[in-house]
Amino acid sequence: MIIGFDYDGTLVDSYSVIEEAFIHALEKHYSWLPFKGLWAKILTRIELYFERPKFGKKRHKGKISQPFFFKLKFSRTWFDERAKLTKPIDDSKELIRKLKEEGHVVISFSAEDFIDGMKEYRLRLNGFYDLFDDVIIFGREVTLSEALCLVREKYGDEIFLWVDDKPWRFVGKGDENTEYVWYYFPITSKYAEEKALEQIPRLHIIRDLWSIFDVIKNVESSRGIIDKA
């Protein structure tokens, strides 16, 4: 199968460190600023707002340009600090290696950050980039729909397991050979609405990444796929 993993909130926890990263960035660029902790909390709330489904749908419906705020050196420093603090979820690097050992094609399938090229930079910095068979990043050069078409152009009609902590991205996307796997990440799960989930066919919900092997078995069984090994 082709297994595409989102990055933030799926393979790594880069959310619980947002506030700390803002504090570090504020200390580097605005050492004179009082109440840095308070400003960090405010900036964190703004950042998390961008993760909400309504904003996400607009963001990935088409191609977006880099917002002005994220052209500032402060924003680059914040992303750097966030990347340094980021930690893998559920030994995700070993999970990727195990999936590849079992013959699956494992790709990175995630949205670009607000700074051009930042997602690839973070994938490399955190040691994930070279683990993947392919890296597809949508949101800047290609839309989400175009990225899904690219998966088909590269890999044909193979079963595509799309793993993401933001299930609203699944709505209206993919095809009959796409299986949708929602990784239930606490910080972003609160934004998932029941009415959106009801619109997703072939939806699998996992609370730890290693349960992807159970999903693979279930998909093989439901689709009558025989393990030739």
Side-chain angles (χ1 to χ4, degrees):
M1 295 182 187
I2 313 302
I3 305 175
F5 285 100
D6 177 49
Y7 189 56
D8 299 293
T10 303
L11 293 176
V12 299
D13 178 5
S14 59
Y15 287 99
S16 62
V17 301
I18 288 176
E19 185 174 330
E20 184 178 355
F22 272 127
I23 292 175
H24 290 183
L26 287 168
E27 289 174 344
K28 288 187 177 182
H29 289 276
Y30 305 103
S31 59
W32 50 266
L33 184 70
F35 310 115
K36 294 183 185 66
L38 176 60
W39 282 109
K41 289 183 183 297
I42 293 171
L43 290 169
T44 297
R45 292 189 67 176
I46 294 172
E47 170 62 22
L48 290 176
Y49 174 80
F50 292 147
E51 301 299 330
R52 294 174 183 271
K54 185 176 181 180
F55 180 82
K57 288 178 182 178
K58 292 180 179 178
R59 182 180 176 189
H60 303 308
K61 184 177 181 180
K63 302 175 185 177
I64 64 168
S65 59
Q66 182 176 331
F68 173 77
F69 177 79
F70 289 93
K71 295 180 181 180
L72 303 177
K73 290 183 179 179
F74 171 82
S75 297
R76 174 75 193 210
T77 299
W78 172 70
F79 267 115
D80 280 337
E81 293 299 321
R82 185 181 179 187
K84 292 174 186 176
L85 295 167
T86 292
K87 300 296 183 184
I89 294 173
D90 294 342
D91 198 8
S92 51
K93 291 181 181 179
E94 183 58 31
L95 173 73
I96 293 171
R97 295 187 185 100
K98 182 64 175 177
L99 287 167
K100 291 174 67 175
E101 286 175 5
E102 296 200 355
H104 302 290
V105 174
V106 184
I107 69 175
S108 175
F109 191 78
S110 62
E112 180 60 284
D113 294 319
F114 284 114
I115 295 179
D116 294 339
M118 181 55 70
K119 181 56 64 69
E120 179 177 334
Y121 170 79
R122 292 198 296 124
L123 285 167
R124 291 186 183 279
L125 183 66
N126 294 139
F128 278 88
Y129 191 92
D130 292 332
L131 294 177
F132 293 107
D133 294 299
D134 196 0
V135 174
I136 297 176
I137 299 172
F138 53 87
R140 188 79 77 239
E141 298 298 326
V142 298
T143 66
L144 174 53
S145 294
E146 289 171 341
L148 289 165
C149 289
L150 185 59
V151 170
R152 289 304 175 209
E153 289 174 8
K154 290 186 172 186
Y155 304 106
D157 293 327
E158 295 290 331
I159 302 300
F160 178 46
L161 262 62
W162 179 2
V163 189
D164 204 311
D165 68 302
K166 304 171 188 66
W168 50 89
R169 285 177 175 165
F170 299 151
V171 178
K173 300 294 191 300
D175 54 33
E176 61 183 11
N177 284 332
T178 302
E179 298 278 341
Y180 306 90
V181 184
W182 175 23
Y183 172 66
Y184 189 94
F185 183 64
I187 295 177
T188 53
S189 64
K190 58 187 176 183
Y191 302 134
E193 299 177 351
E194 192 64 34
K195 62 181 180 180
L197 299 177
E198 292 173 352
Q199 299 178 56
I200 304 170
R202 302 177 300 282
L203 177 64
H204 310 267
I205 302 174
I206 59 175
R207 292 176 181 266
D208 70 90
L209 288 177
W210 288 84
S211 293
I212 193 68
F213 289 101
D214 294 327
V215 173
I216 290 170
K217 289 180 181 178
N218 291 337
V219 171
E220 288 175 341
S221 176
S222 65
R223 290 179 178 263
I225 299 174
I226 300 176
D227 185 358
K228 296 181 181 180

